[in-house]
Amino acid sequence: MDSITPKLPAHETVYRTLRDMILCGELEPGQAVTIQGLIGKLGAGMTPVREAIRRLTAEHALEFLGNRRVCLPVLTTPQIDELEFARIALEPQLAYWATSRIGQADIDALGAIDDAVNAAMDRGDVRAYLFHNHEFHARLYAASGARILATVADGLWLRMGPSLRVMGGRFGSNTLPDMHAKARAALAARDADGVRDAIRDDIQQGFDGIRATLGR
């Protein structure tokens, strides 16, 4: 019997769509949007949009401004320092654990995702770059089997998406860091230290780019 994927409820679909918009930097830090504007943009009803906003506010990805408006928080330098510390402490370890547990199907999938990352960079598509870059990391971390920590890592990414979009938009997507090839080679060799180091360097280069953008 063929398996049938159940249809997601409206509130979950709207939440995921709005979350992807934030991850991919479709809303800029500090940009205020109205709930009515989001209803029109998402083609959804008031109730699912309000529920999505409630969840994303709880995840600190959005802030209420009053008058039915929300915005993406503008990260301060200390907050960027915190995110850098947390991501470098957590994500390379998830990649390290994934190395011994990942199957060939997931390694092949990561290769296809990375090809999409590179194609997006070649055509200067920052949104697609951010989408597939997150997809690459999320797929790798999921292979670690550490579901709690992988969820924490994904929450950190949600806080970073808008800032990464600003960096890419100013410097051009072809200059964004890409250590995925090193991680893929290390994965193929089952070199856990190499995978961990490649992911750590990828994260570090991203934060270096954000700080260079702030410096301008």
Side-chain angles (χ1 to χ4, degrees):
M1 180 181 296
D2 293 336
S3 61
I4 299 175
T5 302
K7 183 179 179 180
L8 293 172
H11 68 84
E12 184 65 24
T13 299
V14 171
Y15 166 75
R16 294 188 186 190
T17 301
L18 186 53
R19 195 176 194 276
D20 282 347
M21 288 172 59
I22 295 170
L23 276 168
C24 296
E26 292 186 43
L27 302 175
E28 295 185 8
Q31 176 186 353
V33 293
T34 65
I35 294 176
Q36 198 63 43
L38 286 175
I39 289 171
K41 190 176 186 67
L42 297 170
M46 174 72 78
T47 299
V49 169
R50 281 185 177 276
E51 174 63 15
I53 290 173
R54 183 194 65 77
R55 290 173 65 180
L56 289 163
T57 301
E59 294 179 82
H60 305 289
L62 290 174
E63 291 181 349
F64 278 114
L65 294 178
N67 296 323
R68 296 189 176 186
R69 295 183 305 151
V70 293
C71 78
L72 270 70
V74 178
L75 293 177
T76 65
T77 299
Q79 287 173 331
I80 291 172
D81 291 341
E82 286 185 54
L83 287 167
E84 180 181 18
F85 175 85
R87 289 191 59 198
I88 288 179
L90 177 59
E91 294 177 40
Q93 185 63 41
L94 288 170
Y96 181 91
W97 286 334
T99 306
S100 63
R101 300 174 182 177
I102 195 168
Q104 188 59 47
D106 278 328
I107 292 177
D108 293 342
L110 286 171
I113 294 168
D114 196 33
D115 289 343
V117 171
N118 293 331
M121 292 174 68
D122 289 342
R123 65 178 183 268
D125 188 340
V126 181
R127 186 199 184 284
Y129 170 87
L130 291 175
F131 179 86
H132 293 299
N133 187 45
H134 169 261
E135 185 182 19
F136 181 93
H137 285 262
R139 183 83 179 234
L140 176 60
Y141 302 157
S144 71
R147 295 179 62 183
I148 294 173
L149 294 180
T151 299
V152 172
D154 207 53
L156 297 174
W157 273 78
L158 190 59
R159 304 287 292 273
M160 293 299 304
S163 296
L164 289 171
R165 178 60 185 254
V166 170
M167 179 186 74
R170 291 185 181 179
F171 288 160
S173 59
N174 62 333
T175 65
L176 291 171
D178 180 14
M179 297 295 292
H180 295 179
K182 288 183 66 175
R184 288 170 58 189
L187 272 175
R190 300 294 176 174
D191 175 6
D193 289 339
V195 177
R196 178 196 62 209
D197 293 348
I199 295 301
R200 181 198 62 220
D201 291 347
D202 187 46
I203 296 167
Q204 186 63 66
Q205 288 178 7
F207 277 98
D208 289 346
I210 288 172
R211 288 195 170 86
T213 302
L214 291 176
R216 291 192 175 190

